[in-house]
Amino acid sequence: MELQNLPQDEWLRREAAHARRVRAYADPYLARRSAGQKHPVEDFLFTYYTQKPGQLLRWHPGAGVVLSGAAAAARAGWKYYRTPDDGELAAAGLPPGTDAATVDVERFLSERRDAVQFAGIILAGTAARPAQFGCFGLHEWAMVYRQDKFELRHEYLKLRLGSEGTDKVVEDNRIRCSHFDAYRFYTPDAVPLNTLEPSRENQRSMEQPGCLHANMDLYKWAYKLAPALPSELVMDCFELSWRIRAMDMRASPYELSEWGYPPIRIETPDGKAEYVDQQREFAAASQELRRRLLVELTPLLQTAAARPLPAAQEGHP
């Protein structure tokens, strides 16, 4: 993989811009957490996903970039970073002995090969399928279907239509969720109402680009491949996921007006139309991000395919 030099002034500027971008979301979350407060919409990306604010705050240029300058030396101890040798420095147009750091692609692939390859399968497969727009966000309703029976309670959220009204919406509509990580939270009585049976095993063949949760998960695939992907792309995925989460919860059965999120009333024809309009916009934006992720992944996938597995990993998926 060819290495390109990124001078210190430029990468420090990008690092600072990234920090400002992350803190706009992370600082309010951390303040709420310190105060023992919760937000049903704006905490989600920090609580459901495993990436912590401090990890997201670290800026990475991605694979194939040499960060030059004295400030780069601090990265020598970062996971999946190394100091380029003089030959690599020369190839990047830098004199021998230059302070520099680069992503250690060889070590990253030796430890994260499966994640890289699985992300490539999910992203390419999802991008190739036609988008489906008939779910109307009913996965969130199925998660509280007959909640009184199962003694489910959300301590600080109320159901907009009450329990009976919510159950009726579930019963009056066709539920067609294709995303396992939404489907797995259904109440037991809602499970047989779903016309599909998504599972972890069929995930790679089931996900499609109209699904809000599949599109939110672009953030997951992006951060799981850090530091091999540029942080600007990770944050583009984060911000799209943030907007999708807001729309997903507006279409949910919860009353969130007091939180600043007026409902999309998917129990009505107008609400369904509004939902699909926004779903189509998110599908288009997500397909562009999938394309960019696959562009970044391609050289990593090619490198991984060209190198034999270490002996300890042979025969393991």
Side-chain angles (χ1 to χ4, degrees), residues 16-287:
H18 174 73
R20 290 191 297 271
R21 194 175 177 188
V22 173
R23 287 194 172 112
Y25 300 94
D27 285 358
Y29 163 71
L30 293 172
R32 285 192 300 271
R33 191 177 70 177
S34 294
Q37 299 171 347
K38 296 180 181 181
H39 196 293
V41 181
E42 297 173 11
D43 290 351
F44 181 77
L45 268 62
F46 297 113
T47 56
Y48 176 76
Y49 293 111
T50 59
Q51 177 89 324
K52 303 305 179 188
Q55 295 170 312
L56 183 60
L57 192 60
R58 279 195 167 188
W59 175 81
H60 304 289
V65 177
V66 173
L67 301 178
S68 60
R75 295 193 174 223
W78 288 21
K79 189 174 184 180
Y80 298 129
Y81 275 83
R82 64 176 176 83
T83 301
D85 60 34
D86 285 348
E88 291 169 323
L89 291 173
L94 295 166
T98 299
D99 289 326
T102 191
V103 172
D104 189 341
V105 172
E106 184 172 348
R107 182 185 170 198
F108 179 80
L109 287 176
S110 73
E111 297 181 14
R112 303 289 293 151
R113 179 194 300 254
D114 288 352
V116 170
Q117 293 177 331
F118 187 72
I121 290 169
I122 289 287
L123 292 167
T126 305
R129 293 185 194 100
Q132 304 296 320
F133 300 109
C135 69
F136 307 120
L138 285 162
H139 56 275
E140 291 287 344
W141 298 69
M143 293 177 194
V144 293
Y145 180 59
R146 295 182 178 173
Q147 71 166 12
D148 293 336
K149 174 181 176 180
F150 298 104
E151 298 183 352
L152 296 175
R153 288 291 181 272
H154 298 267
E155 66 273 19
Y156 65 109
L157 295 180
K158 297 180 293 186
L159 294 176
R160 182 167 53 82
L161 302 180
S163 292
E164 290 186 7
T166 299
D167 292 348
K168 188 174 188 306
V169 171
V170 173
E171 292 161 358
D172 288 350
N173 287 273
R174 182 169 176 256
I175 307 179
R176 186 180 173 83
C177 179
S178 59
H179 196 271
F180 175 68
D181 284 316
Y183 175 72
R184 68 190 177 97
F185 290 110
Y186 279 23
T187 65
D189 283 2
V191 168
L193 301 179
N194 206 65
T195 59
L196 302 174
E197 295 184 7
S199 66
R200 191 65 71 205
E201 290 71 27
N202 65 21
Q203 179 181 9
R204 65 184 64 197
S205 62
M206 184 75 74
E207 293 197 2
Q208 49 85 18
C211 171
L212 294 190
H213 278 260
N215 295 336
M216 278 195 287
D217 278 353
L218 291 177
Y219 169 57
K220 176 178 70 175
W221 302 122
Y223 77 70
K224 281 183 177 292
L225 300 179
L229 298 187
S231 289
E232 289 86 353
L233 177 53
V234 176
M235 276 305 293
D236 286 347
C237 293
F238 176 97
E239 289 181 340
L240 177 68
S241 190
W242 182 279
R243 296 195 300 274
I244 292 174
R245 171 63 176 177
M247 184 263 205
D248 193 36
M249 290 301 285
R250 288 183 61 210
S252 77
Y254 303 114
E255 178 52 76
L256 299 173
S257 296
E258 64 187 57
W259 299 87
Y261 293 89
I264 298 174
R265 302 181 186 278
I266 58 94
E267 70 275 15
T268 70
D270 286 348
K272 284 182 170 66
E274 181 181 358
Y275 184 92
V276 171
D277 285 346
Q278 293 194 39
Q279 191 179 24
R280 289 183 181 277
E281 292 177 7
F282 285 132
S286 298
Q287 287 290 65

